[in-house]
């Protein structure tokens, strides 16, 4: 079936052989998270994808060490941040987008379906009326098929739900930043058992991504170092995923994937930082409003997830 969004994104990839973004990635082993800074060599404009705020859950203390490394790179290379892009509301790390925006500027963006996440988790955390569920914590809400630019480089938005309702992939030049939808081929695919997730939807989203040209560079949000591999890796290609992804390589049928994914998800524990992460990230990386004593508090709903 013809997919006009994928067709448009594929055309961007094919036109970008001589205008590919420069990508510098920062990996945090504590959360297995990769933050990507992509820049247009022609204009010096840039975007930051899936930033990270360091968080020690035991003490409740945050640190900007990882974000400061990104800031140092941006300033050292004289690039200008236009966008702070979130692929989804992460359940395994806190976003540093507000801190980076304060120091580097740029518009904070996520998919419009963050409204669904805000509604679902607003109920789970019993948020009051002060918590807006309209996406207003973000500067821009993207929809499937939207187009934008990073400097002179064309970019397209592909909605890839399944892991969560709000997952997006950003096709920017010859590169796609796909969040948690896929991992490295030797590790497979994202889980689909969070509220609003769905294995069948995830399979169809993956198939959309794998319809991009085989040479498309894929930048992942996480790597967990599959058994037998000694190094962390967060870059691959559509072609490599098509032929070698252990969960969704060519020839895998939807029903078989759904059965595998559901069985695997049932065996997984909740991510260690899911409760602080979602409470923060559904607010665009901001903590709940301080209480009378000036401190912000994160809730721990018992026997809920």
């Amino acid at each position: 079936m013809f997919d006009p969004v994928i067709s448009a994104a594929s055309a961007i990839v094919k036109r970008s052989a001589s205008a590919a973004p420069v990508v510098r990635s920062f990996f945090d082993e504590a959360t297995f998270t990769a933050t990507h800074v992509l820049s247009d060599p022609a204009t010096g404009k840039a975007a930051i994808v899936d930033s990270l705020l360091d968080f020690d859950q035991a003490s409740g203390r945050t640190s900007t060490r990882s974000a400061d490394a990104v800031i140092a790179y941006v300033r050292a290379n004289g690039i200008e941040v236009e966008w702070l892009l979130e692929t989804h509301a992460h359940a395994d790390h806190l976003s540093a987008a507000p801190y980076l925006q304060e120091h580097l500027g740029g518009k904070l963006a996520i998919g419009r379906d963050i409204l669904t996440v805000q509604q679902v988790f607003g109920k789970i955390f019993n948020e009051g009326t002060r918590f807006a569920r309209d996406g207003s914590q973000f500067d821009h809400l993207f929809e499937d098929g939207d187009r934008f630019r990073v400097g002179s480089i064309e970019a397209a938005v592909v909605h890839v739900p399944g892991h969560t309702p709000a997952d997006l992939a950003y096709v920017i030049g010859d590169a796609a930043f796909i969040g948690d939808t896929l991992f490295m081929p030797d590790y497979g695919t994202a889980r689909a058992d969070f509220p609003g997730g769905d294995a069948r939807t995830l399979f169809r989203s993956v198939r959309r991504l794998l319809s991009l040209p085989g040479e498309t560079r894929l930048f992942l949000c996480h790597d967990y170092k599959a058994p037998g591999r000694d190094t962390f890796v967060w870059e691959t290609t559509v072609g490599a995923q098509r032929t070698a992804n252990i969960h969704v390589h060519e020839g895998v049928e939807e029903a078989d994937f759904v059965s595998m994914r559901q069985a695997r998800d049932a065996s997984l524990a909740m991510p260690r930082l899911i409760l602080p992460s979602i409470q923060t990230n559904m607010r665009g990386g901001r903590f709940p409003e301080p209480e009378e004593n000036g401190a912000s508090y994160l809730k721990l709903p018992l026997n809920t997830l």
Side-chain angles (χ1 to χ4, degrees):
M1 182 181 296
F2 177 69
D3 186 330
V5 173
I6 293 298
S7 178
S10 296
I12 288 173
V13 173
K14 292 176 181 178
R15 286 197 295 267
S16 299
S18 60
V22 174
V23 182
R24 169 73 162 87
S25 301
F26 297 79
F27 190 74
D28 175 60
E29 192 168 339
T31 60
F32 307 102
T33 299
T35 295
H36 307 292
V37 182
L38 61 112
S39 57
D40 173 16
T43 64
K45 307 295 185 181
I48 300 172
V49 184
D50 292 337
S51 63
L52 176 132
L53 182 72
D54 303 285
F55 178 66
D56 179 69
Q57 189 169 19
S59 66
R61 298 196 67 84
T62 62
S63 165
T64 59
R65 174 184 53 81
S66 295
D68 287 336
V70 171
I71 292 171
Y73 169 80
V74 168
R75 290 177 173 168
N77 287 274
I79 55 182
E80 180 184 348
V81 174
E82 292 187 307
W83 292 97
L84 299 158
L85 303 174
E86 299 286 350
T87 56
H88 62 296
H90 306 276
D92 40 32
H93 71 274
L94 281 65
S95 171
Y99 178 77
L100 291 173
Q101 189 174 48
E102 177 185 352
H103 289 272
L104 299 174
K107 293 181 180 179
L108 173 57
I110 200 169
R112 179 167 294 280
D113 284 277
I114 188 64
L115 275 66
T116 301
V117 175
Q118 290 177 332
Q119 289 289 346
V120 170
F121 281 94
K123 293 178 181 177
I124 288 174
F125 291 116
N126 196 32
E127 296 287 353
T129 56
R130 291 194 302 174
F131 172 55
R133 295 162 172 81
D134 58 2
S136 57
Q137 300 86 347
F138 301 85
D139 299 314
H140 190 82
L141 300 179
F142 281 118
E143 298 190 49
D144 190 41
D146 280 352
R147 304 283 288 274
F148 66 107
R149 287 180 178 269
V150 177
S152 63
I153 299 177
E154 295 178 272
V157 175
V158 182
H159 186 212
V160 285
H163 174 58
T164 79
D167 281 66
L168 294 183
Y170 299 100
V171 179
I172 304 174
D174 72 336
F177 300 84
I178 63 173
D180 293 8
T181 306
L182 284 165
F183 298 134
M184 290 300 294
D186 59 1
Y187 203 86
T189 56
R191 65 194 298 166
D193 61 331
F194 295 152
D198 180 75
R200 194 171 302 278
T201 302
L202 177 62
F203 180 86
R204 295 172 184 179
S205 292
V206 168
R207 283 285 169 250
R208 293 190 84 193
L209 288 177
L210 297 189
S211 297
L212 292 168
E215 66 271 21
T216 308
R217 294 184 289 163
L218 298 182
F219 290 90
L220 318 178
C221 187
H222 296 288
D223 184 51
Y224 300 99
K225 207 158 56 174
R229 176 154 53 85
D230 295 327
T231 58
F232 291 106
V233 188
W234 46 82
E235 180 182 351
T236 181
T237 66
V238 165
Q241 295 281 14
R242 285 180 193 159
T243 59
N245 188 287
I246 60 172
H247 293 166
V248 287
H249 58 78
E250 290 177 336
V252 173
E253 297 294 334
E254 181 175 308
D256 294 329
F257 172 81
V258 170
S259 178
M260 176 282 301
R261 190 68 264 172
Q262 290 176 343
R264 180 170 170 79
D265 289 348
S267 72
L268 298 176
M270 282 289 104
R272 179 174 57 89
L273 295 180
I274 184 171
L275 296 176
S277 295
I278 294 293
Q279 284 178 83
T280 303
N281 295 336
M282 69 182 186
R283 292 176 162 87
R286 300 171 183 86
F287 293 114
E289 291 187 32
E291 298 191 8
E292 291 82 359
N293 62 355
S296 293
Y297 292 85
L298 295 170
K299 294 180 178 180
L300 184 68
L302 299 177
N303 303 314
T304 300
L305 293 181

